Amino acid sequence: MNAQALSVPDAIRTRRTVRHYRPNPVAPELLDELLDLAVQAPSAWNMQDRSIVVVTSDTGRKALSEAAFGQPQPLEAPVTLVFVADPAAWRAGNGDIADLAGRNGAWNAEFMALFESRAEFHALEQRGLLRENAVKNAMIAATYVMLAAASLGLASAPMNGWDPALVKRAIGIDDRDDLAIAVMVAVGYPASAVPHPGRRERDRTVFSERYPG
């Protein structure tokens, strides 16, 4: 594992979206560290209603490239992570979540009761926002992956533009209409340095108190 991991600010500043990769494999211990950091990402009520499917096989990565209309990232990068959102995760017992939070002293009895009531999730269901909520949580985890990858000396690419049905087929959940594909993230070593495209001045996108009319 990289002994000189970047700080969070440095990882944010140096991260780039990389489309082309060297074939060098990601060491198992480095991938384990990346995934350990990914699952530390927060989620609403700690429901952890997102999963990560790690695809490293030639067959699996080829299928993901085809699902992404031929984009090269899954073919070239040695690892592609598929983030799966589970809008119905809150319906399960999830007692292990509450038990662990209680043992760690993170939740008191009042918070436990609120968790057990699932009131917020019932409200999301009534508003038709369960899928959106789960996808948001998956995207937070994907952001953790990209920053963690940068800190560990790896490159990554969040991927848009894919057929969700084909992505599901590639990871063996083509019969699961209850699950949603949030994003794919390719991970590996860049084929070449990628320059920063730059960002607009902050006052173009950051505002105080109210969005400008």
Side-chain angles (χ1 to χ4, degrees), residues 41-212:
S43 56
W45 290 90
N46 199 27
M47 192 59 71
Q48 299 164 68
D49 48 355
R50 70 290 183 273
S51 300
I52 305 170
V53 179
V54 184
V55 180
T56 59
S57 69
D58 291 344
T59 300
R61 292 185 293 111
K62 181 176 184 291
L64 290 178
S65 177
E66 291 171 352
F69 311 111
Q71 292 186 66
Q73 296 94 308
L75 280 178
E76 296 183 11
V79 180
T80 297
L81 307 177
V82 183
F83 288 77
V84 181
D86 184 359
W90 64 284
R91 298 186 190 278
N94 296 307
D96 61 310
I97 294 174
D99 290 345
L100 184 58
R103 290 198 305 273
N104 287 341
W107 291 1
N108 59 24
E110 180 182 4
F111 200 90
M112 291 270 199
L114 288 171
F115 177 80
E116 292 298 334
S117 76
R118 307 287 199 275
E120 182 173 328
F121 290 93
H122 286 293
L124 288 170
E125 182 178 33
Q126 291 173 358
R127 296 161 59 200
L129 296 176
L130 286 173
R131 183 185 184 282
E132 179 178 319
N133 180 71
V135 168
K136 285 177 181 176
N137 291 329
M139 294 302 297
I140 293 171
T143 299
Y144 266 51
V145 157
M146 290 184 283
L147 295 181
S151 79
L152 297 171
L154 295 166
S156 65
M159 293 184 62
N160 202 358
W162 29 260
D163 184 324
L166 294 180
V167 175
K168 285 185 175 184
R169 182 184 302 170
I171 61 172
I173 57 169
D174 43 320
D175 60 340
R176 295 292 302 274
D177 291 338
D178 56 314
L179 299 176
I181 304 300
V183 69
M184 298 195 298
V185 178
V187 178
Y189 295 96
S192 60
V194 176
H196 196 320
R199 298 290 187 266
R200 286 174 165 171
E201 293 296 323
R202 196 176 69 184
D203 61 9
R204 291 280 302 273
T205 55
V206 179
F207 310 108
S208 178
E209 304 294 342
R210 297 176 68 87
Y211 192 84

